[in-house]
Amino acid sequence: MKWDSAGLFFKHPRPRRFNDHLQDLRNYMEEHGNCDVPSAYKENMRLARWCKTMRQSYKHIQKGGKPAYHLKASEIAALENVGFRWRILEK
């Protein structure tokens, strides 16, 4: 909990969940025809950071390292089902 400017307590907004981000990715796919969200996508930097984190986490998991986000098998499948690529080359 935090104080607001009037001296009242307020709760932090609920953190975005995987499915919230996945829906944003689906929306991106509908608009752009792919899921290759660039890391500097200014229209939705939250989505850009999330995609980057998913890719980095997947890479760490594949190498046996410690990922920033512990992707579940069902989340990996959900991302792949919408056309998410684990590796993209940005221009």
Side-chain angles (χ1 to χ4, degrees):
M1 297 245 243
K2 290 182 99 178
W3 293 93
D4 69 6
S5 61
L8 302 172
F9 277 119
F10 69 94
K11 292 182 181 182
H12 286 287
R14 135 181 111 73
R16 290 182 57 84
R17 297 198 171 128
F18 179 86
N19 286 332
D20 296 331
H21 292 292
L22 187 61
Q23 185 57 51
D24 286 348
L25 184 61
R26 285 184 183 118
N27 294 341
Y28 180 93
M29 171 66 165
E30 287 178 21
E31 184 177 337
H32 298 276
N34 63 60
C35 291
D36 301 342
V37 180
S39 59
Y41 181 54
K42 293 180 182 176
E43 289 80 5
N44 189 340
M45 283 304 295
R46 183 182 293 178
L47 177 62
R49 283 190 302 272
W50 182 76
C51 288
K52 183 177 181 180
T53 299
M54 295 301 102
R55 288 188 179 100
Q56 289 174 342
S57 295
Y58 184 79
K59 181 179 176 182
H60 287 293
I61 290 167
Q62 295 301 305
K63 292 183 175 185
K66 183 178 179 184
Y69 178 85
H70 296 281
L71 279 162
K72 300 174 192 167
S74 61
E75 294 170 335
I76 291 170
L79 285 165
E80 290 174 346
N81 285 338
V82 297
F84 188 78
R85 294 190 307 165
W86 297 109
R87 201 164 170 217
I88 60 170
L89 298 175
E90 293 188 31
K91 297 176 184 174

Coordinates of all heavy atoms in Angstrom, one line a residue:
M1 N 0.8 -1.2 0.0 CA 0.0 0.0 0.0 C 0.9 1.2 0.0 O 2.0 1.2 0.5 CB -0.9 0.0 1.2 CG -1.8 -1.1 1.3 SD -3.5 -0.5 1.2 CE -4.2 -0.9 2.7
K2 N 0.4 2.3 -0.6 CA 1.1 3.6 -0.6 C 0.1 4.7 -0.2 O -1.1 4.5 -0.2 CB 1.6 3.8 -2.1 CG 2.7 2.9 -2.5 CD 3.2 3.3 -3.8 CE 4.4 4.1 -3.7 NZ 5.0 4.5 -5.0
W3 N 0.7 5.8 0.0 CA -0.1 7.0 0.3 C -0.3 7.8 -1.0 O 0.6 7.9 -1.8 CB 0.7 7.9 1.3 CG 0.8 7.4 2.7 CD1 1.9 6.6 3.1 CD2 -0.1 7.5 3.7 NE1 1.7 6.3 4.4 CE2 0.5 6.8 4.8 CE3 -1.3 8.1 3.9 CZ2 -0.2 6.7 6.1 CZ3 -2.0 8.0 5.1 CH2 -1.4 7.3 6.2
D4 N -1.5 8.3 -1.1 CA -1.7 9.2 -2.3 C -1.5 10.7 -1.8 O -1.2 10.9 -0.7 CB -3.1 9.0 -2.9 CG -4.2 9.5 -2.1 OD1 -4.0 10.1 -1.0 OD2 -5.4 9.2 -2.4
S5 N -1.6 11.6 -2.7 CA -1.3 13.0 -2.4 C -2.3 13.6 -1.3 O -2.0 14.6 -0.7 CB -1.4 13.9 -3.7 OG -2.7 13.8 -4.2
A6 N -3.5 13.0 -1.2 CA -4.4 13.5 -0.1 C -4.2 12.8 1.2 O -4.9 13.0 2.2 CB -5.9 13.2 -0.6
G7 N -3.1 11.9 1.3 CA -2.8 11.3 2.6 C -3.7 10.0 2.8 O -3.7 9.5 3.9
L8 N -4.3 9.5 1.7 CA -5.1 8.3 1.9 C -4.3 7.1 1.3 O -3.5 7.2 0.4 CB -6.4 8.4 1.1 CG -7.3 9.6 1.5 CD1 -8.4 9.7 0.6 CD2 -7.8 9.4 2.9
F9 N -4.5 5.9 1.9 CA -3.9 4.7 1.4 C -4.6 4.3 0.1 O -5.7 4.5 -0.1 CB -4.1 3.5 2.3 CG -3.1 3.5 3.5 CD1 -3.5 3.6 4.8 CD2 -1.7 3.4 3.2 CE1 -2.5 3.6 5.8 CE2 -0.8 3.3 4.2 CZ -1.2 3.4 5.5
F10 N -3.8 3.8 -0.8 CA -4.3 3.2 -2.0 C -3.5 1.9 -2.4 O -2.3 1.8 -2.0 CB -4.4 4.1 -3.2 CG -3.0 4.5 -3.8 CD1 -2.5 3.8 -4.9 CD2 -2.3 5.5 -3.3 CE1 -1.3 4.1 -5.4 CE2 -1.0 5.8 -3.8 CZ -0.5 5.1 -4.9
K11 N -4.1 1.0 -3.0 CA -3.4 -0.3 -3.4 C -2.8 -0.1 -4.7 O -3.4 0.6 -5.6 CB -4.4 -1.4 -3.4 CG -4.9 -1.8 -2.0 CD -5.8 -3.0 -2.2 CE -6.4 -3.4 -0.8 NZ -7.2 -4.6 -0.8
H12 N -1.7 -0.8 -4.9 CA -1.1 -0.8 -6.3 C -2.1 -1.5 -7.2 O -2.8 -2.4 -6.8 CB 0.2 -1.6 -6.3 CG 1.3 -0.8 -5.7 ND1 1.9 0.2 -6.3 CD2 1.9 -1.0 -4.5 CE1 2.9 0.7 -5.5 NE2 2.9 0.0 -4.4
P13 N -2.2 -1.1 -8.5 CA -3.0 -1.8 -9.4 C -2.5 -3.3 -9.5 O -1.3 -3.5 -9.3 CB -2.9 -1.1 -10.7 CG -1.7 -0.2 -10.5 CD -1.5 0.0 -9.1
R14 N -3.4 -4.2 -9.8 CA -3.0 -5.6 -9.9 C -2.0 -5.7 -11.0 O -2.1 -5.1 -12.1 CB -4.3 -6.4 -10.2 CG -4.2 -7.4 -11.2 CD -5.6 -8.1 -11.4 NE -6.2 -7.8 -12.6 CZ -5.8 -8.2 -13.8 NH1 -4.8 -9.0 -13.9 NH2 -6.5 -7.9 -14.9
P15 N -1.0 -6.5 -10.8 CA 0.0 -6.7 -11.9 C -0.6 -7.4 -13.1 O -1.5 -8.2 -12.9 CB 1.1 -7.6 -11.2 CG 0.5 -8.1 -10.0 CD -0.7 -7.3 -9.6
R16 N -0.1 -7.0 -14.2 CA -0.7 -7.6 -15.5 C -0.3 -9.1 -15.4 O 0.8 -9.4 -15.1 CB -0.1 -6.9 -16.7 CG -0.7 -5.5 -16.8 CD -0.3 -4.8 -18.0 NE -0.5 -5.5 -19.3 CZ -1.7 -5.4 -20.0 NH1 -2.7 -4.7 -19.5 NH2 -1.8 -6.0 -21.1
R17 N -1.2 -9.9 -15.8 CA -1.0 -11.3 -15.8 C -0.6 -11.8 -17.2 O -0.8 -11.0 -18.2 CB -2.2 -12.0 -15.4 CG -2.5 -11.7 -13.9 CD -3.5 -12.7 -13.3 NE -3.5 -12.4 -11.9 CZ -4.6 -12.2 -11.2 NH1 -5.8 -12.3 -11.8 NH2 -4.6 -12.0 -9.9
F18 N -0.1 -13.0 -17.3 CA 0.3 -13.5 -18.6 C -0.8 -13.4 -19.7 O -0.5 -12.9 -20.8 CB 0.7 -15.0 -18.4 CG 1.1 -15.7 -19.7 CD1 2.4 -15.6 -20.1 CD2 0.2 -16.3 -20.5 CE1 2.8 -16.2 -21.3 CE2 0.6 -16.9 -21.7 CZ 1.9 -16.8 -22.1
N19 N -2.0 -13.7 -19.3 CA -3.1 -13.7 -20.3 C -3.4 -12.3 -20.7 O -3.9 -12.1 -21.9 CB -4.3 -14.4 -19.8 CG -4.2 -15.9 -19.8 OD1 -3.4 -16.5 -20.6 ND2 -4.9 -16.6 -18.9
D20 N -3.2 -11.3 -19.9 CA -3.4 -9.9 -20.3 C -2.4 -9.5 -21.4 O -2.8 -8.9 -22.4 CB -3.2 -8.9 -19.1 CG -4.2 -9.2 -18.0 OD1 -5.4 -9.6 -18.3 OD2 -3.9 -8.9 -16.8
H21 N -1.2 -9.9 -21.2 CA -0.1 -9.6 -22.2 C -0.4 -10.4 -23.4 O -0.2 -9.9 -24.5 CB 1.3 -10.0 -21.6 CG 1.7 -9.1 -20.5 ND1 2.0 -7.7 -20.7 CD2 1.9 -9.3 -19.2 CE1 2.4 -7.2 -19.6 NE2 2.3 -8.1 -18.6
L22 N -0.8 -11.7 -23.3 CA -1.1 -12.5 -24.4 C -2.2 -11.9 -25.3 O -2.1 -11.9 -26.5 CB -1.5 -13.9 -24.0 CG -1.6 -14.9 -25.1 CD1 -0.4 -15.1 -25.9 CD2 -2.1 -16.3 -24.5
Q23 N -3.2 -11.3 -24.7 CA -4.2 -10.6 -25.4 C -3.7 -9.4 -26.2 O -4.1 -9.1 -27.3 CB -5.4 -10.2 -24.5 CG -6.6 -9.6 -25.3 CD -7.1 -10.5 -26.3 OE1 -7.4 -11.7 -26.0 NE2 -7.3 -10.1 -27.5
D24 N -2.8 -8.6 -25.5 CA -2.2 -7.5 -26.2 C -1.4 -8.0 -27.4 O -1.4 -7.4 -28.5 CB -1.2 -6.8 -25.3 CG -1.9 -5.9 -24.2 OD1 -3.1 -5.7 -24.4 OD2 -1.2 -5.5 -23.3
L25 N -0.7 -9.2 -27.3 CA 0.0 -9.8 -28.4 C -0.9 -10.2 -29.5 O -0.6 -10.0 -30.7 CB 0.8 -10.9 -27.9 CG 1.8 -11.6 -28.9 CD1 2.8 -10.6 -29.4 CD2 2.5 -12.8 -28.3
R26 N -2.1 -10.8 -29.2 CA -3.0 -11.1 -30.2 C -3.5 -9.9 -30.9 O -3.7 -9.9 -32.1 CB -4.2 -11.8 -29.5 CG -4.0 -13.2 -29.1 CD -5.2 -13.9 -28.6 NE -5.0 -15.2 -28.1 CZ -5.1 -15.6 -26.9 NH1 -5.5 -14.8 -25.9 NH2 -4.8 -16.9 -26.5
N27 N -3.8 -8.8 -30.2 CA -4.2 -7.5 -30.8 C -3.1 -7.0 -31.8 O -3.4 -6.5 -32.9 CB -4.5 -6.5 -29.8 CG -5.7 -6.8 -28.9 OD1 -6.5 -7.7 -29.3 ND2 -5.8 -6.2 -27.8
Y28 N -1.8 -7.1 -31.3 CA -0.7 -6.7 -32.2 C -0.7 -7.6 -33.5 O -0.5 -7.0 -34.6 CB 0.6 -6.9 -31.4 CG 1.8 -6.4 -32.2 CD1 2.3 -5.2 -32.2 CD2 2.5 -7.4 -33.1 CE1 3.4 -4.8 -32.9 CE2 3.6 -7.0 -33.8 CZ 4.0 -5.7 -33.7 OH 5.1 -5.3 -34.5
M29 N -0.9 -8.9 -33.3 CA -0.9 -9.8 -34.4 C -2.0 -9.4 -35.4 O -1.8 -9.4 -36.7 CB -1.1 -11.2 -33.9 CG -1.4 -12.2 -35.0 SD 0.1 -12.5 -36.0 CE -0.4 -14.0 -36.8
E30 N -3.2 -9.1 -34.9 CA -4.3 -8.7 -35.8 C -4.0 -7.4 -36.6 O -4.3 -7.3 -37.8 CB -5.6 -8.5 -35.0 CG -6.2 -9.7 -34.5 CD -7.4 -9.5 -33.6 OE1 -8.0 -8.4 -33.7 OE2 -7.8 -10.4 -32.9
E31 N -3.3 -6.5 -36.0 CA -3.0 -5.2 -36.6 C -1.8 -5.3 -37.6 O -1.8 -4.7 -38.6 CB -2.7 -4.2 -35.6 CG -2.4 -2.8 -36.1 CD -2.2 -1.7 -35.1 OE1 -2.6 -1.9 -33.9 OE2 -1.6 -0.7 -35.4
H32 N -0.8 -6.1 -37.2 CA 0.5 -6.1 -37.9 C 0.7 -7.4 -38.8 O 1.7 -7.5 -39.5 CB 1.7 -5.9 -37.0 CG 1.6 -4.6 -36.3 ND1 2.1 -3.4 -36.9 CD2 1.1 -4.2 -35.1 CE1 1.9 -2.4 -36.0 NE2 1.3 -2.9 -35.0
G33 N -0.1 -8.5 -38.5 CA 0.1 -9.7 -39.3 C 1.2 -10.6 -38.8 O 1.5 -11.6 -39.4
N34 N 1.8 -10.3 -37.6 CA 2.9 -11.1 -37.0 C 3.0 -10.8 -35.6 O 2.3 -9.8 -35.1 CB 4.2 -10.9 -37.7 CG 4.7 -9.5 -37.6 OD1 4.9 -9.0 -36.5 ND2 4.9 -8.8 -38.7
C35 N 3.8 -11.5 -34.9 CA 4.0 -11.3 -33.4 C 5.4 -10.8 -33.1 O 5.9 -11.0 -32.0 CB 3.7 -12.6 -32.6 SG 2.0 -13.1 -32.6
D36 N 6.0 -10.3 -34.1 CA 7.4 -9.8 -34.0 C 7.5 -8.4 -33.4 O 7.9 -7.4 -34.1 CB 8.1 -9.9 -35.4 CG 8.1 -11.3 -35.9 OD1 7.9 -12.2 -35.2 OD2 8.3 -11.4 -37.2
V37 N 7.0 -8.3 -32.2 CA 7.0 -6.9 -31.5 C 8.4 -6.4 -31.3 O 9.2 -7.1 -30.7 CB 6.3 -7.0 -30.2 CG1 6.2 -5.6 -29.5 CG2 4.9 -7.6 -30.3
P38 N 8.8 -5.3 -31.9 CA 10.2 -4.8 -31.7 C 10.4 -4.4 -30.3 O 9.4 -3.9 -29.6 CB 10.2 -3.6 -32.7 CG 8.9 -3.4 -33.3 CD 8.0 -4.5 -32.8
S39 N 11.6 -4.4 -29.9 CA 11.9 -4.1 -28.5 C 11.7 -2.6 -28.2 O 11.6 -2.2 -27.1 CB 13.3 -4.5 -28.1 OG 14.3 -3.9 -29.0
A40 N 11.7 -1.8 -29.3 CA 11.4 -0.3 -29.1 C 10.1 0.1 -29.7 O 10.0 1.1 -30.3 CB 12.6 0.4 -29.8
Y41 N 9.1 -0.8 -29.5 CA 7.7 -0.5 -30.0 C 7.1 0.6 -29.2 O 6.5 0.3 -28.1 CB 6.9 -1.8 -30.0 CG 5.5 -1.7 -30.6 CD1 5.3 -1.2 -31.8 CD2 4.4 -2.1 -29.8 CE1 4.0 -1.1 -32.3 CE2 3.1 -2.0 -30.3 CZ 2.9 -1.5 -31.6 OH 1.7 -1.4 -32.1
K42 N 7.1 1.8 -29.6 CA 6.7 3.0 -28.8 C 5.2 3.0 -28.6 O 4.8 3.6 -27.6 CB 7.2 4.3 -29.5 CG 8.7 4.4 -29.5 CD 9.1 5.7 -30.2 CE 10.6 5.7 -30.2 NZ 11.2 6.8 -30.8
E43 N 4.4 2.4 -29.4 CA 3.0 2.4 -29.2 C 2.5 1.6 -28.0 O 1.5 1.8 -27.5 CB 2.2 1.9 -30.5 CG 2.3 2.8 -31.7 CD 3.6 2.8 -32.4 OE1 4.5 1.9 -32.1 OE2 3.7 3.6 -33.3
N44 N 3.4 0.6 -27.6 CA 3.1 -0.2 -26.4 C 4.4 -0.7 -25.9 O 4.7 -1.9 -26.1 CB 2.1 -1.3 -26.8 CG 1.6 -2.1 -25.6 OD1 2.2 -2.0 -24.5 ND2 0.5 -2.8 -25.7
M45 N 5.1 0.1 -25.1 CA 6.4 -0.3 -24.6 C 6.2 -1.4 -23.6 O 7.1 -2.2 -23.4 CB 7.1 0.9 -23.9 CG 7.7 1.8 -24.9 SD 8.9 1.0 -26.1 CE 10.2 0.5 -24.9
R46 N 5.1 -1.5 -22.9 CA 4.9 -2.6 -21.9 C 4.9 -3.9 -22.7 O 5.5 -4.9 -22.2 CB 3.5 -2.4 -21.2 CG 3.3 -3.4 -20.1 CD 2.0 -3.2 -19.5 NE 2.0 -2.0 -18.7 CZ 1.0 -1.5 -18.0 NH1 -0.1 -2.1 -18.0 NH2 1.1 -0.4 -17.3
L47 N 4.2 -4.0 -23.8 CA 4.2 -5.2 -24.6 C 5.6 -5.5 -25.1 O 6.0 -6.7 -25.1 CB 3.2 -5.1 -25.8 CG 3.1 -6.3 -26.7 CD1 2.7 -7.5 -26.0 CD2 2.2 -5.9 -27.9
A48 N 6.3 -4.5 -25.6 CA 7.6 -4.7 -26.1 C 8.6 -5.3 -25.0 O 9.3 -6.2 -25.3 CB 8.2 -3.4 -26.6
R49 N 8.5 -4.7 -23.8 CA 9.3 -5.2 -22.7 C 8.9 -6.7 -22.4 O 9.8 -7.5 -22.1 CB 9.2 -4.3 -21.5 CG 10.0 -3.0 -21.6 CD 10.1 -2.3 -20.3 NE 8.8 -1.9 -19.8 CZ 8.1 -0.8 -20.1 NH1 8.6 0.1 -21.0 NH2 6.9 -0.6 -19.6
W50 N 7.6 -6.9 -22.4 CA 7.2 -8.3 -22.0 C 7.7 -9.3 -23.0 O 8.1 -10.4 -22.7 CB 5.6 -8.3 -21.9 CG 5.1 -9.6 -21.5 CD1 5.1 -10.2 -20.3 CD2 4.4 -10.6 -22.4 NE1 4.5 -11.4 -20.3 CE2 4.0 -11.6 -21.6 CE3 4.1 -10.6 -23.7 CZ2 3.4 -12.8 -22.1 CZ3 3.5 -11.7 -24.2 CH2 3.1 -12.7 -23.4
C51 N 7.5 -9.0 -24.3 CA 8.0 -9.9 -25.4 C 9.5 -10.1 -25.2 O 10.0 -11.3 -25.4 CB 7.7 -9.3 -26.7 SG 5.9 -9.4 -27.1
K52 N 10.2 -9.1 -25.0 CA 11.7 -9.2 -24.8 C 12.0 -10.1 -23.6 O 12.9 -11.0 -23.7 CB 12.3 -7.8 -24.6 CG 13.8 -7.9 -24.5 CD 14.4 -6.5 -24.4 CE 15.9 -6.5 -24.3 NZ 16.5 -5.2 -24.2
T53 N 11.3 -9.9 -22.5 CA 11.5 -10.8 -21.3 C 11.1 -12.2 -21.6 O 11.8 -13.1 -21.2 CB 10.6 -10.2 -20.1 OG1 11.0 -8.9 -19.8 CG2 10.7 -11.1 -18.9
M54 N 10.0 -12.5 -22.4 CA 9.6 -13.8 -22.7 C 10.7 -14.5 -23.5 O 11.1 -15.6 -23.3 CB 8.3 -13.9 -23.5 CG 7.1 -13.4 -22.7 SD 6.8 -14.3 -21.2 CE 7.4 -13.2 -19.9
R55 N 11.3 -13.8 -24.5 CA 12.3 -14.3 -25.4 C 13.6 -14.6 -24.6 O 14.2 -15.7 -24.7 CB 12.6 -13.4 -26.5 CG 11.5 -13.3 -27.5 CD 11.9 -12.5 -28.8 NE 10.8 -12.6 -29.7 CZ 9.9 -11.6 -29.9 NH1 10.0 -10.5 -29.2 NH2 9.0 -11.8 -30.8
Q56 N 14.0 -13.7 -23.7 CA 15.2 -13.9 -22.9 C 15.0 -15.0 -21.9 O 15.9 -15.8 -21.7 CB 15.5 -12.6 -22.1 CG 16.0 -11.5 -23.0 CD 16.3 -10.2 -22.3 OE1 15.7 -10.0 -21.2 NE2 17.0 -9.3 -22.9
S57 N 13.8 -15.1 -21.3 CA 13.5 -16.2 -20.4 C 13.6 -17.5 -21.1 O 14.2 -18.5 -20.5 CB 12.2 -16.0 -19.7 OG 12.2 -14.8 -18.9
Y58 N 13.0 -17.6 -22.2 CA 13.0 -18.9 -23.0 C 14.4 -19.3 -23.3 O 14.8 -20.5 -23.2 CB 12.1 -18.7 -24.3 CG 12.0 -20.0 -25.1 CD1 11.1 -21.0 -24.7 CD2 12.8 -20.2 -26.2 CE1 11.0 -22.1 -25.4 CE2 12.6 -21.3 -27.0 CZ 11.7 -22.3 -26.6 OH 11.6 -23.4 -27.3
K59 N 15.2 -18.3 -23.7 CA 16.6 -18.6 -24.1 C 17.4 -19.1 -22.9 O 18.1 -20.1 -23.0 CB 17.3 -17.3 -24.6 CG 18.7 -17.5 -25.0 CD 19.3 -16.1 -25.5 CE 20.7 -16.2 -25.8 NZ 21.2 -14.9 -26.2
H60 N 17.1 -18.5 -21.7 CA 17.8 -19.0 -20.5 C 17.3 -20.4 -20.1 O 18.1 -21.2 -19.7 CB 17.5 -18.0 -19.3 CG 18.3 -16.7 -19.4 ND1 19.7 -16.7 -19.3 CD2 17.9 -15.5 -19.6 CE1 20.1 -15.4 -19.5 NE2 19.0 -14.7 -19.7
I61 N 16.0 -20.6 -20.2 CA 15.5 -22.0 -19.9 C 16.1 -23.0 -20.9 O 16.6 -24.1 -20.4 CB 14.0 -22.0 -20.1 CG1 13.3 -21.2 -19.0 CG2 13.4 -23.4 -20.1 CD1 11.8 -20.9 -19.2
Q62 N 16.3 -22.7 -22.1 CA 16.8 -23.6 -23.1 C 18.3 -23.9 -22.8 O 18.8 -25.0 -23.0 CB 16.7 -23.1 -24.5 CG 15.3 -22.9 -25.0 CD 14.6 -24.3 -25.0 OE1 15.0 -25.2 -25.6 NE2 13.5 -24.3 -24.4
K63 N 19.0 -23.0 -22.2 CA 20.4 -23.2 -21.9 C 20.6 -23.7 -20.4 O 21.7 -23.8 -20.0 CB 21.2 -21.8 -22.0 CG 21.3 -21.4 -23.5 CD 22.1 -20.2 -23.6 CE 22.3 -19.8 -25.1 NZ 23.2 -18.7 -25.3
G64 N 19.5 -23.9 -19.7 CA 19.6 -24.4 -18.3 C 19.9 -23.3 -17.3 O 20.3 -23.6 -16.2
G65 N 19.7 -22.1 -17.7 CA 20.0 -21.0 -16.8 C 18.8 -20.5 -16.0 O 17.7 -21.2 -16.1
K66 N 18.9 -19.5 -15.3 CA 17.8 -18.9 -14.5 C 17.1 -17.8 -15.2 O 17.7 -16.8 -15.5 CB 18.4 -18.4 -13.1 CG 17.3 -17.9 -12.2 CD 17.8 -17.4 -10.9 CE 16.7 -16.9 -10.0 NZ 17.1 -16.4 -8.8
P67 N 15.9 -18.1 -15.6 CA 15.2 -17.0 -16.4 C 14.6 -15.9 -15.5 O 14.4 -16.1 -14.3 CB 14.0 -17.8 -17.0 CG 13.8 -18.9 -16.0 CD 15.1 -19.3 -15.4
A68 N 14.4 -14.8 -16.1 CA 13.7 -13.6 -15.4 C 12.3 -14.0 -15.1 O 11.7 -13.6 -14.1 CB 13.8 -12.4 -16.2
Y69 N 11.6 -14.7 -16.0 CA 10.3 -15.2 -15.8 C 10.2 -16.7 -16.0 O 10.7 -17.1 -17.0 CB 9.4 -14.4 -16.8 CG 7.9 -14.9 -16.7 CD1 7.0 -14.3 -15.8 CD2 7.4 -15.8 -17.6 CE1 5.7 -14.6 -15.8 CE2 6.1 -16.2 -17.5 CZ 5.2 -15.6 -16.6 OH 3.9 -16.0 -16.5
H70 N 9.6 -17.4 -15.1 CA 9.6 -18.8 -15.2 C 8.4 -19.2 -16.1 O 7.3 -19.4 -15.6 CB 9.5 -19.5 -13.8 CG 10.7 -19.2 -13.0 ND1 11.8 -19.9 -13.2 CD2 10.9 -18.3 -12.0 CE1 12.7 -19.5 -12.3 NE2 12.2 -18.5 -11.6
L71 N 8.7 -19.4 -17.4 CA 7.6 -19.8 -18.3 C 7.2 -21.2 -18.1 O 8.0 -22.1 -18.0 CB 8.2 -19.7 -19.8 CG 8.2 -18.4 -20.4 CD1 9.2 -18.4 -21.6 CD2 6.9 -17.9 -20.9
K72 N 5.9 -21.4 -18.0 CA 5.3 -22.7 -17.9 C 5.2 -23.3 -19.3 O 5.1 -22.6 -20.3 CB 3.9 -22.7 -17.3 CG 3.9 -22.1 -15.9 CD 2.5 -21.9 -15.4 CE 2.5 -21.1 -14.1 NZ 1.2 -20.6 -13.8
A73 N 5.1 -24.6 -19.4 CA 4.9 -25.3 -20.7 C 3.7 -24.8 -21.4 O 3.6 -24.6 -22.6 CB 4.9 -26.8 -20.6
S74 N 2.6 -24.6 -20.6 CA 1.3 -24.1 -21.2 C 1.5 -22.7 -21.8 O 0.8 -22.3 -22.8 CB 0.2 -24.2 -20.2 OG 0.5 -23.3 -19.1
E75 N 2.3 -21.9 -21.1 CA 2.5 -20.5 -21.6 C 3.4 -20.5 -22.9 O 3.1 -19.7 -23.8 CB 3.2 -19.7 -20.5 CG 2.3 -19.4 -19.3 CD 3.0 -18.8 -18.2 OE1 4.2 -19.0 -18.0 OE2 2.3 -18.2 -17.3
I76 N 4.3 -21.4 -22.9 CA 5.2 -21.5 -24.2 C 4.3 -21.9 -25.3 O 4.3 -21.4 -26.4 CB 6.3 -22.5 -23.9 CG1 7.3 -21.9 -23.0 CG2 7.0 -22.9 -25.3 CD1 8.4 -22.9 -22.5
A77 N 3.4 -22.9 -25.1 CA 2.5 -23.4 -26.1 C 1.5 -22.3 -26.5 O 1.3 -22.1 -27.7 CB 1.7 -24.6 -25.6
A78 N 1.0 -21.5 -25.6 CA 0.1 -20.4 -25.9 C 0.8 -19.4 -26.8 O 0.2 -18.9 -27.8 CB -0.5 -19.8 -24.7
L79 N 2.0 -19.1 -26.5 CA 2.7 -18.1 -27.3 C 3.0 -18.6 -28.7 O 2.8 -17.9 -29.7 CB 4.1 -17.7 -26.6 CG 3.9 -16.8 -25.4 CD1 5.2 -16.8 -24.6 CD2 3.6 -15.4 -25.9
E80 N 3.4 -19.9 -28.8 CA 3.6 -20.5 -30.1 C 2.4 -20.6 -30.9 O 2.4 -20.4 -32.1 CB 4.3 -21.8 -29.9 CG 5.8 -21.7 -29.4 CD 6.5 -23.0 -29.1 OE1 5.8 -24.0 -29.0 OE2 7.7 -22.9 -28.9
N81 N 1.2 -20.8 -30.3 CA 0.0 -21.0 -31.0 C -0.5 -19.7 -31.6 O -1.2 -19.7 -32.6 CB -1.1 -21.5 -30.0 CG -1.0 -22.9 -29.7 OD1 -0.4 -23.7 -30.5 ND2 -1.6 -23.4 -28.6
V82 N -0.1 -18.5 -31.1 CA -0.4 -17.2 -31.7 C 0.6 -16.8 -32.7 O 0.5 -15.7 -33.3 CB -0.7 -16.1 -30.7 CG1 -1.9 -16.4 -29.8 CG2 0.5 -15.8 -29.9
G83 N 1.7 -17.6 -32.9 CA 2.7 -17.2 -33.9 C 3.9 -16.5 -33.3 O 4.7 -15.9 -34.1
F84 N 4.1 -16.5 -32.0 CA 5.2 -15.9 -31.4 C 6.5 -16.6 -31.8 O 6.6 -17.8 -31.7 CB 5.0 -15.9 -29.9 CG 6.0 -15.1 -29.1 CD1 5.9 -13.7 -29.0 CD2 7.1 -15.7 -28.4 CE1 6.8 -12.9 -28.3 CE2 8.0 -15.0 -27.7 CZ 7.9 -13.6 -27.6
R85 N 7.5 -15.9 -32.2 CA 8.8 -16.4 -32.5 C 9.8 -16.1 -31.4 O 9.8 -15.0 -30.9 CB 9.3 -15.9 -33.9 CG 8.4 -16.3 -35.0 CD 9.0 -16.0 -36.4 NE 9.4 -14.6 -36.5 CZ 10.2 -14.2 -37.5 NH1 10.7 -15.0 -38.3 NH2 10.5 -12.9 -37.6
W86 N 10.5 -17.1 -31.0 CA 11.4 -16.9 -29.9 C 12.7 -16.2 -30.3 O 13.4 -15.6 -29.4 CB 11.8 -18.3 -29.3 CG 10.6 -19.0 -28.8 CD1 10.0 -20.1 -29.3 CD2 9.9 -18.6 -27.6 NE1 8.9 -20.4 -28.6 CE2 8.8 -19.5 -27.5 CE3 10.0 -17.6 -26.7 CZ2 7.9 -19.5 -26.5 CZ3 9.1 -17.5 -25.6 CH2 8.0 -18.4 -25.6
R87 N 12.9 -16.1 -31.6 CA 14.1 -15.3 -32.0 C 13.7 -14.5 -33.2 O 13.2 -15.0 -34.2 CB 15.2 -16.3 -32.4 CG 16.5 -15.7 -32.4 CD 17.6 -16.8 -32.3 NE 18.8 -16.1 -32.6 CZ 19.8 -16.5 -33.3 NH1 19.7 -17.7 -33.8 NH2 20.9 -15.8 -33.4
I88 N 13.9 -13.2 -33.2 CA 13.7 -12.4 -34.3 C 14.9 -11.5 -34.5 O 15.6 -11.1 -33.6 CB 12.4 -11.5 -34.2 CG1 12.5 -10.6 -33.0 CG2 11.2 -12.3 -34.2 CD1 11.4 -9.5 -33.0
L89 N 15.1 -11.1 -35.7 CA 16.2 -10.2 -36.1 C 15.6 -8.8 -36.3 O 14.7 -8.7 -37.2 CB 17.0 -10.6 -37.3 CG 17.7 -12.0 -37.1 CD1 18.3 -12.4 -38.5 CD2 18.7 -11.9 -36.0
E90 N 15.9 -7.8 -35.5 CA 15.4 -6.5 -35.7 C 16.2 -5.7 -36.6 O 17.5 -5.9 -36.7 CB 15.3 -5.8 -34.3 CG 14.3 -6.5 -33.4 CD 14.0 -5.7 -32.2 OE1 14.1 -4.4 -32.2 OE2 13.7 -6.3 -31.1
K91 N 15.6 -4.8 -37.4 CA 16.3 -4.0 -38.4 C 17.0 -2.9 -37.7 O 16.5 -2.3 -36.8 CB 15.3 -3.5 -39.4 CG 14.7 -4.6 -40.2 CD 13.7 -4.1 -41.2 CE 13.0 -5.3 -41.9 NZ 11.9 -4.9 -42.7

